[in-house]
Amino acid sequence: MMPKKNSRPLDSIDLDILASLYQDARTTNKEIAKRVGLAPSSCLERIKRLQADEIIQGASLQVDLNALGGHIQAMISIRLSDHNRLAVDDFVADLLPHPEVLSVFHMGGNIDFLLHVTVTDSSHLRDFVFNQLTARPEVNHVESALVYEYRCSQKLPQF
């Protein structure tokens, strides 16, 4: 999702607020205000504006997937035989509701999609690939690779 066109450019305080929330979305407004040198009310107004301008698009929760039974994670590369917009949009819309699916990346290059999944075991992964991917007529190639470890940066990209 792109920021609204009428949003003003971000200044250094906006970037500091975003960096704080990017590192930990649970950080309180009071803590952020102190870090960036603003009154809490001014800080809250900036956060609300960043939300209204769709620069802050939400927050998420990181969980231990093993505790939920997701003992294996995999990246599945997928090539489609049909690349029209409807086929691509339908493919993504059909995959996202599956509880195994963590992320869907629409790619350029020799693969069309990279799918991040979590499953209970190798049989579950095999069944997911056969039943949800290769059974689809528009899918013409699938490769899976196990994820040994997954980490996300907590540093806000700045350009």
Side-chain angles (χ1 to χ4, degrees):
M1 183 182 283
M2 297 292 293
K4 291 181 179 177
K5 291 186 191 245
N6 60 354
S7 61
R8 68 170 184 73
L10 301 176
D11 64 19
S12 62
I13 294 175
D14 292 329
L15 292 172
D16 289 344
I17 290 169
L18 290 170
S20 218
L21 289 169
Y22 194 84
Q23 185 175 8
D24 185 354
R26 298 170 300 177
T27 306
T28 66
N29 180 61
K30 187 175 179 179
E31 290 176 63
I32 296 168
K34 184 176 179 182
R35 288 181 193 168
V36 302
L38 289 177
S41 58
S42 299
C43 185
L44 186 58
E45 284 303 313
R46 281 186 179 246
I47 291 171
K48 286 180 179 179
R49 190 184 64 247
L50 291 167
Q51 292 169 331
D53 290 346
E54 297 176 354
I55 293 166
I56 295 177
Q57 298 178 356
S60 62
L61 178 67
Q62 295 176 0
V63 298
D64 178 357
L65 296 172
N66 280 310
L68 301 175
H71 302 296
I72 294 178
Q73 290 183 53
M75 301 300 285
I76 304 172
S77 56
I78 303 162
R79 231 175 301 161
L80 301 182
S81 56
D82 191 359
H83 296 93
N84 69 65
R85 178 161 305 276
L86 182 60
V88 167
D89 290 347
D90 286 350
F91 183 74
V92 172
D94 288 348
L95 285 179
L96 280 175
H98 290 280
E100 296 89 350
V101 175
L102 298 173
S103 302
V104 178
F105 299 91
H106 187 192
M107 310 291 289
N110 65 342
I111 62 169
D112 297 314
F113 288 94
L114 191 58
L115 193 62
H116 184 192
V117 300
T118 185
V119 292
T120 55
D121 55 31
S122 59
S123 296
H124 188 178
L125 178 60
R126 181 198 62 222
D127 291 345
F128 179 82
V129 168
F130 284 151
N131 297 334
Q132 305 306 326
L133 300 175
T134 59
R136 299 175 66 98
E138 71 271 29
V139 172
N140 73 10
H141 181 81
V142 173
E143 273 184 53
S144 58
L146 297 181
V147 174
Y148 292 132
E149 187 175 4
Y150 171 70
R151 295 184 188 187
C152 287
S153 172
Q154 292 185 323
K155 287 293 242 181
L156 179 71
Q158 293 189 19
F159 306 99

